[in-house]
Amino acid sequence: MLTVDFSRFPLAAGDRVLDLGCGAGRHAFECYRRGARVVALDRNAEEIREVAKWFAAMKEAGEAPEGATATAMEGDALALPFPDDSFDVVIISEVMEHIPDDKGVLAEMVRVLKPGGRIAITVPRYGPEKICWALSDAYHEVEGGHIRIYKADELLGKMAEAGLKPYGTHHAHGLHSPYWWLKCAFGVDNDKSLPVRAYHKLLVWDIMKKPAATRVAEQLLNPVIGKSFVAYATKPHLPAGAAE
């Protein structure tokens, strides 16, 4: 289930991609399939081990084109172990709402992104996330949980302040907001509730089968209750003589 829309965020074979805070690796895997040279980085050692296993399995199965590479590694988003201007593309999906120093993370991403490079940032959308917080303290008051809710203008402003030039936005996962509202209403750790179980089955069916009806429904719901806000930006080239 991808949050970044690669029709709006073009990726060329051979691009060097950093999936920052990669989690289970969904965007890193897609970039690998598209022929990129991918680095998936996360602070969670267990998830990185799993991502590395999946990269190896994908290579063995021939899922990635010739020339594509994939590396999974542990690392700190506030002290990235890469030189300046290392990547053509940076993706950070559903991560910044967890990090107290979000401006520091933005600065590091801009540092390692090449001039002319592209960045995709996704965070929980303000309205649906507000409802989750109102329904359940346990949803966000956990170690490593969400510490802020972004308004779209706030995130875009921070991106611009960091030196990025936003060029597009959209919302994603409209079918998923009601699921999380149900989880928060019935208990975030209560997977036995009938409404939660029934809706979860619907989401799994949708992800696996991708039926036309739910695809259309999600397209209609995304602008209204899309769970994620997605922003795309570029790192401008320096004007001639500016680096002198």
Side-chain angles (χ1 to χ4, degrees):
M1 184 186 73
L2 300 174
T3 307
V4 172
D5 181 352
F6 286 93
S7 70
R8 308 178 195 223
F9 189 66
L11 188 70
D15 277 350
R16 190 152 193 247
V17 177
L18 172 63
D19 185 3
L20 182 56
C22 63
R26 57 202 172 103
H27 288 106
F29 300 148
E30 180 65 20
C31 294
Y32 189 32
R33 289 188 188 98
R34 289 171 177 261
R37 296 173 293 156
V38 183
V39 176
L41 184 144
D42 201 284
R43 66 185 299 178
N44 186 310
E46 183 177 343
E47 286 195 311
I48 284 298
R49 284 192 292 271
E50 286 300 310
V51 170
K53 289 178 184 177
W54 278 105
F55 278 152
M58 290 172 68
K59 182 177 181 180
E60 181 70 21
E63 290 188 33
E66 187 176 350
T69 62
T71 302
M73 61 184 294
E74 288 183 64
D76 182 352
L78 290 166
L80 295 174
F82 311 111
D84 296 355
D85 307 338
S86 295
F87 294 94
D88 302 289
V89 172
V90 176
I91 296 171
I92 183 166
S93 183
E94 311 299 304
V95 173
M96 287 181 57
E97 67 275 9
H98 296 272
I99 301 176
D101 186 7
D102 58 346
K103 290 185 177 181
V105 172
L106 275 167
E108 273 294 88
M109 289 191 292
V110 171
R111 180 184 68 79
V112 301
L113 185 64
K114 295 177 181 178
R118 303 171 304 286
I119 189 166
I121 298 176
T122 90
V123 296
R125 184 182 185 176
Y126 183 83
E129 185 77 348
K130 254 314 207 192
I131 293 172
C132 287
W133 283 44
L135 288 171
S136 171
D137 290 336
Y139 170 78
H140 63 98
E141 290 183 356
V142 295
E143 185 178 354
H146 299 183
I147 63 169
R148 72 172 66 82
I149 307 175
Y150 286 101
K151 291 185 176 179
D153 289 346
E154 175 193 2
L155 179 59
L156 293 172
K158 288 184 176 183
M159 292 169 69
E161 184 181 338
L164 295 168
K165 185 177 181 180
Y167 69 82
T169 65
H170 64 91
H171 300 99
H173 309 316
L175 287 174
H176 288 249
S177 289
Y179 171 72
W180 282 103
W181 297 338
L182 288 170
K183 287 274 288 181
C184 290
F186 287 94
V188 290
D189 296 320
N190 178 15
D191 293 325
K192 296 182 179 180
S193 163
L194 179 59
V196 173
R197 285 192 290 114
Y199 205 101
H200 184 263
K201 286 183 179 180
L202 169 67
L203 293 179
V204 171
W205 174 72
D206 174 56
I207 291 168
M208 298 300 293
K209 301 296 184 180
K210 297 181 174 62
T214 54
R215 294 300 84 219
V216 171
E218 183 147 271
Q219 288 176 8
L220 294 173
L221 288 172
N222 281 342
V224 184
I225 59 168
K227 183 74 168 67
S228 295
F229 174 69
V230 188
Y232 305 109
T234 58
K235 178 179 175 178
H237 289 276
L238 286 173
E244 296 177 2

